[in-house]
Amino acid sequence: MAQVTPQESQRIIAHMNKEHAESLEHYIEFYGKKNAAQNPLITTFTTEKMEIEYGRPGARKTFTHKFDPPMMAGQARVRLEQMHQEARKGLGISNVIINEFSLSYLAWFFFLVATSVEMFGVFCPTEQLASLVPRLSTPTAALLRYLNIAPTRFHVGLALKLFFLLGWAPAHLLEMSFTLVPLLKKYNCSNPDARYKYKLFTFLGGFTVWTDLQRRGQALEEEATKKDKSH
């Protein structure tokens, strides 16, 4: 069979760069074992290899994928689609698409409870907080004594506020980075408005938000599987 010609190569490069940036990201992440490939662009496409440039301006890198077997003329469309599907499967990306923000009634309930507790801890008057949560105040006072700090109601209340702030915010940021963002990627959420809302509500409410997204995605996957089996 004939090799890829320069004319065919240019057509493939132009088409992939314009229409299939997501596929290029998947190629780099799966075949190149790289994380979060930004602004990918094919720079070289031959029978032997494909080179994809990616990264921030001024810090661009190149991923080289060698075709095995070699890419012959007329094969690109089928083989690149096969690579795309293999990469999606390997990266754990679902065929389900969730492109709008939505929470179940139960998730809303737990979200409101969680955020109410967190806001109470942050905005409650400092000395009053120490009186309202005696079960937390007693061990907090003991810790302050150990640190040679007078366990006054003000100091106990201030320590509890720091506990709420330093425990709540970092924990939710970690949930956002290590659970929510992978789920948004898995369920192909590309809508900026939906992504923003999921991140905001996860920062405020934590696991109640991303677990609801996870359950929703799993339910849609099960529904799609049943439909496939019925056909």
Side-chain angles (χ1 to χ4, degrees), residues 20-41 50 52-55 62-65 83-84 86-94 181-182 184-186 188 195:
H20 298 289
E22 183 182 67
S23 294
L24 302 184
E25 292 175 7
H26 294 343
Y27 298 159
I28 295 169
E29 292 171 5
F30 179 67
Y31 297 107
K33 311 299 182 185
K34 310 293 183 182
N35 292 323
Q38 297 179 328
N39 305 315
L41 291 171
M50 170 174 60
I52 307 175
E53 191 179 90
Y54 66 98
T62 299
F63 161 64
T64 300
H65 178 77
M83 287 176 59
H84 173 76
E86 182 180 27
R88 284 175 61 88
K89 184 177 180 180
L91 293 169
I93 298 175
S94 173
V181 171
L184 292 175
K185 180 176 181 178
K186 178 176 182 177
N188 304 286
R195 293 178 67 87

Side-chain angles (χ1 to χ4, degrees), residues 22 97-101 184 187-199:
E22 183 182 67
I97 298 175
I98 297 178
N99 249 343
E100 70 286 336
F101 174 80
L184 292 175
Y187 294 119
N188 304 286
C189 184
S190 59
N191 182 351
D193 182 64
R195 293 178 67 87
Y196 171 78
K197 288 178 179 177
Y198 271 116
K199 289 179 180 180

Side-chain angles (χ1 to χ4, degrees), residues 11 47 109-110 157-158 160 162 227:
R11 287 197 301 271
T47 291
F109 171 77
F110 284 113
L158 184 60
L160 288 172
L162 289 174
K227 286 184 178 178

Side-chain angles (χ1 to χ4, degrees), residues 129-142 156 160:
L129 181 62
S131 302
L132 292 175
V133 285
R135 290 188 179 182
L136 291 177
S137 298
T138 301
T140 303
V156 172
L160 288 172

